Amino acid sequence: MINNPIPKLRKAPQPPLSRPGAPPDSDRAKRPPLAEPAASDHELIPGDRVEGLGNFGKPTGELGTVEQANEDDAVVKWDDGGRMRLHQPSLKKI
């Protein structure tokens, strides 16, 4: 056995960067959000016109009409055909 004590590491002022040249975490937090969040205070009712939202709340361009809705989900009949059950945060009332 070795009797040498294990040297302690100094604490870094902030976590290391994920790759060379990457912005520090403190800078990334200052950037604006990617897209507006969906308005959750607007309850959808049958007959409402909606637009589908993709990743990060960006509009997909798909338009449809709400056929059935509850507090969490809505069944939408899309203009280009087909029906789909989606969570209400994935829809934007137009």
Side-chain angles (χ1 to χ4, degrees):
M1 298 284 177
I2 300 175
N3 291 332
N4 294 338
I6 299 173
K8 292 188 177 185
L9 297 176
R10 288 179 276 151
K11 290 189 177 183
Q14 67 185 123
L17 300 177
S18 60
R19 59 179 169 75
D25 289 338
S26 59
D27 290 347
R28 288 190 290 168
K30 295 176 186 174
R31 293 187 181 168
L34 295 174
E36 296 177 8
S40 59
D41 59 342
H42 292 80
E43 189 72 28
L44 295 176
I45 57 172
D48 283 346
R49 295 287 293 165
V50 292
E51 181 176 19
L53 299 176
N55 294 337
F56 304 108
K58 291 192 174 211
T60 61
E62 293 181 299
L63 300 175
T65 305
V66 175
E67 289 188 335
Q68 297 175 7
N70 62 20
E71 60 274 355
D72 296 325
D73 301 322
V75 176
V76 178
K77 181 178 184 299
W78 299 110
D79 291 348
D80 60 353
R83 289 178 173 79
M84 189 178 293
R85 180 178 180 174
L86 298 167
H87 292 290
Q88 284 198 17
S90 300
L91 300 169
K92 177 182 170 186
K93 191 173 181 178
I94 54 174

